[in-house]
C-alpha cells in the first residue's frame, strides 16, 4: 500500500514538472515570436495608403509621437485628422531614413487638438483651454474697438455668426491666454492678390480659407481640379482675388452723437386773381426750422462704414414761405 502511494506521488510530481516545463517553453517561444514581430519592419499607413517604412514598430510610434509633440500641445491631446495606423511592412519594403520618414508622414497627416474654440461662420479661428476663457476672448475682442468711441449706442456686435464650442483645431491656433488669442483673431496672414499660397505643415483648406478671410467654397472655386481635402506640404493654392488683410472677425461699433441742423418748410403757393398769369409775389419769407438729430456712426474694426439717424427732436418749427401765383388772364 505504501509502495502504491509512493508511485502515485511520483507520477503527480512528474506531471507537475512537465506542465511547468511546457509553460516555460511556451513563454519563451511567445516572447521570441513577439520580439521578432515587434522588431520587424513596420509601415505607417495614412487613410489606407502606405506612407513610410521604418525599422521597428517602436520607431514608428516614436516618430508619430514626435510629430504630435512639435505642435506645442501635449501629445496625449493631439489627434490626426486622417486615419493613421502602424502595420507590419512587406518583406520587400525598403526602410527609409528617419529624416525622410518624418517628412513623408508630416506631409500626409494633419494634427488637430480638441479645444474650446471661437467659431466664426462655422470655421474655428482660435482656441483656448476652457469655455470661460473663450468668453473672455470675445469680450476683449468687442472692447478692442468699443473703447475707441466716446458714446456707445449699444454693446459692440459681431458681424459674423460667432459661437463657442469644442472643435478639433490646428494646434497653431491654440493660445494659453485670452490676450494672445485676441491678437491671433485680429492678425490675419497678409497675402498679395493674384499669388499662390504654399501649403505648410498642419494646413487644411478650411484653416487656410479662414486665415485669408474668404469662404471655403470660394477657395475651392479658385482651384478647380485640385483636391483640397488632400493637401501636401509644398502644394501651391491659387488665391487670386483674396483680400490681403481681411480679419477673421469683424466688430461692429455704433458711436452715438448729436447735432443741431436747420431745415426749411415746403413753399406754399396761393392763387391770386389780381396778378396776371405767370407773375408771382412773395407774401411771407417764412422761417427755417431747427432740429436736434441723434446719429449713430457705424465702425467696423475701427473703420467708418456708414451712419444712420436714430432719432430727431424738433427744437423750432419752420414757417413756410408763402408765394402768390397770378391766375388773371391778360
Amino acid at each position: 500500500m505504501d509502495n502504491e502511494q509512493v508511485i502515485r506521488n511520483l507520477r503527480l510530481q512528474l506531471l507537475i514538472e512537465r506542465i511547468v516545463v511546457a509553460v516555460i517553453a511556451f513563454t519563451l517561444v511567445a516572447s521570441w515570436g513577439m520580439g521578432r514581430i515587434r522588431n520587424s519592419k513596420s509601415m505607417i499607413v495614412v487613410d489606407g495608403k502606405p506612407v513610410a517604412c521604418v525599422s521597428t514598430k517602436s520607431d514608428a510610434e516614436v516618430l508619430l509621437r514626435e510629430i504630435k509633440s512639435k505642435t506645442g500641445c501635449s501629445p496625449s491631446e493631439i489627434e490626426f485628422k486622417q486615419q493613421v495606423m502602424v502595420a507590419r511592412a512587406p518583406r520587400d519594403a525598403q526602410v527609409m531614413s528617419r529624416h525622410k520618414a518624418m517628412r513623408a508622414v508630416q506631409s500626409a497627416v494633419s494634427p488637430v487638438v480638441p479645444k474650446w474654440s471661437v467659431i466664426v461662420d462655422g470655421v474655428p479661428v482660435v482656441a483656448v483651454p476652457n469655455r470661460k476663457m473663450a468668453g473672455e476672448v470675445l469680450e476683449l475682442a468687442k472692447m478692442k474697438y468699443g473703447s475707441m468711441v466716446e458714446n456707445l449706442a449699444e454693446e459692440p456686435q459681431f458681424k459674423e455668426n460667432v459661437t463657442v464650442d469644442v472643435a478639433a483645431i490646428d494646434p497653431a491656433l491654440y493660445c494659453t491666454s485670452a490676450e494672445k488669442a485676441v491678437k491671433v483673431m485680429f492678425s490675419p496672414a497678409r497675402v498679395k492678390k493674384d499669388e499662390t499660397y504654399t501649403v505648410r505643415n498642419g494646413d487644411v483648406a478650411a484653416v487656410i480659407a479662414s486665415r485669408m478671410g474668404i469662404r471655403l467654397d470660394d477657395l475651392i472655386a479658385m482651384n478647380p481640379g485640385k483636391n483640397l481635402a488632400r493637401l501636401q506640404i509644398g502644394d501651391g493654392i491659387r488665391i487670386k482675388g483674396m483680400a490681403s488683410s481681411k480679419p477673421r472677425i469683424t466688430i461692429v461699433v455704433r458711436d452715438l452723437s448729436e447735432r443741431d441742423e436747420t431745415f426749411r418748410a415746403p413753399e406754399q403757393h396761393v392763387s391770386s386773381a389780381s396778378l396776371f398769369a405767370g407773375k408771382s409775389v412773395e407774401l411771407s419769407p417764412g422761417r427755417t426750422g431747427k432740429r436736434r438729430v441723434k446719429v449713430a456712426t457705424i465702425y467696423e474694426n475701427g473703420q467708418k462704414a456708414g451712419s444712420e439717424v436714430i432719432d430727431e427732436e424738433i427744437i423750432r418749427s419752420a414757417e413756410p414761405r408763402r408765394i402768390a401765383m397770378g391766375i388773371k388772364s391778360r
Side-chain angles (χ1 to χ4, degrees):
M1 185 67 179
D2 293 337
N3 290 336
E4 292 179 0
Q5 183 65 38
V6 171
I7 292 173
R8 282 197 298 269
N9 291 341
L10 289 174
R11 286 178 177 175
L12 179 59
Q13 183 179 353
L14 180 60
L15 178 61
I16 293 174
E17 290 176 353
R18 287 178 176 176
I19 293 174
V20 172
V21 171
V23 170
I24 294 174
F26 177 79
T27 303
L28 292 174
V29 171
S31 298
W32 175 80
M34 291 298 295
R36 282 184 59 87
I37 293 174
R38 187 166 185 82
N39 293 326
S40 61
K41 295 183 293 185
S42 293
M43 184 71 72
I44 298 176
V45 182
V46 179
D47 285 342
K49 179 183 176 181
V51 173
C53 179
V54 293
S55 300
T56 65
K57 183 179 180 180
S58 177
D59 289 342
E61 293 172 347
V62 170
L63 187 146
L64 293 174
R65 195 177 305 115
E66 286 187 9
I67 292 176
K68 292 181 178 181
S69 299
K70 288 183 178 181
T71 62
C73 299
S74 172
S76 61
E77 295 180 311
I78 297 294
E79 301 171 357
F80 291 118
K81 198 168 185 181
Q82 300 78 8
Q83 183 181 11
V84 181
M85 61 180 296
V86 178
R88 190 172 182 179
R91 290 185 178 181
D92 58 348
Q94 296 295 320
V95 175
M96 303 169 65
S97 68
R98 180 177 178 78
H99 179 67
K100 188 175 181 180
M102 178 69 75
R103 285 194 308 169
V105 177
Q106 282 183 320
S107 66
V109 300
S110 301
V112 293
V113 57
K115 291 289 185 182
W116 280 100
S117 305
V118 175
I119 302 172
V120 179
D121 287 341
V123 179
V125 297
V126 73
V128 291
N130 52 61
R131 185 186 185 95
K132 181 180 179 182
M133 187 178 292
E136 293 176 4
V137 170
L138 295 181
E139 290 303 315
L140 287 175
K142 288 180 179 180
M143 294 314 300
K144 176 180 175 68
Y145 292 107
S147 60
M148 293 183 177
V149 300
E150 294 183 0
N151 300 299
L152 280 174
E154 60 185 13
E155 181 183 355
Q157 304 293 321
F158 298 113
K159 188 175 183 179
E160 301 83 4
N161 180 26
V162 179
T163 57
V164 172
D165 204 348
V166 175
I169 56 99
D170 178 357
L173 298 177
Y174 178 62
C175 303
T176 56
S177 70
E179 291 75 13
K180 184 177 179 181
V182 172
K183 289 181 180 179
V184 170
M185 291 173 64
F186 291 102
S187 57
R190 294 179 177 272
V191 181
K192 296 180 180 179
K193 294 184 178 181
D194 304 326
E195 280 196 357
T196 299
Y197 176 83
T198 302
V199 177
R200 299 174 294 181
N201 179 33
D203 278 344
V204 293
V207 172
I208 295 173
S210 174
R211 187 182 298 148
M212 302 307 161
I214 63 170
R215 296 187 306 133
L216 178 59
D217 291 344
D218 294 336
L219 183 65
I220 294 174
M222 293 176 194
N223 295 271
K226 183 181 288 292
N227 186 0
L228 299 188
R230 292 189 175 275
L231 295 175
Q232 303 290 330
I233 293 177
D235 284 351
I237 299 180
R238 187 185 181 202
I239 54 173
K240 182 178 180 180
M242 287 186 182
S244 59
S245 59
K246 183 173 173 34
R248 296 180 175 94
I249 194 168
T250 307
I251 308 298
V252 179
V253 175
R254 295 156 64 89
D255 184 24
L256 188 63
S257 60
E258 291 185 353
R259 66 170 182 258
D260 292 344
E261 56 184 33
T262 59
F263 65 95
R264 287 182 174 275
E267 291 183 349
Q268 286 186 353
H269 293 175
V270 180
S271 298
S272 173
S274 61
L275 294 175
F276 287 109
K279 296 291 184 179
S280 63
V281 175
E282 182 181 78
L283 301 177
S284 171
R287 185 183 66 177
T288 59
K290 191 174 182 180
R291 60 190 171 197
R292 182 159 296 153
V293 180
K294 290 184 179 180
V295 180
T297 304
I298 303 170
Y299 295 91
E300 293 184 359
N301 287 358
Q303 301 295 321
K304 186 176 179 180
S307 62
E308 60 181 1
V309 176
I310 60 174
D311 191 22
E312 66 176 46
E313 175 187 1
I314 302 299
I315 300 175
R316 183 183 68 207
S317 299
E319 295 180 0
R321 179 186 179 209
R322 301 180 71 250
I323 300 176
M325 306 295 294
I327 58 174
K328 182 180 179 182
S329 299
R330 292 183 178 277

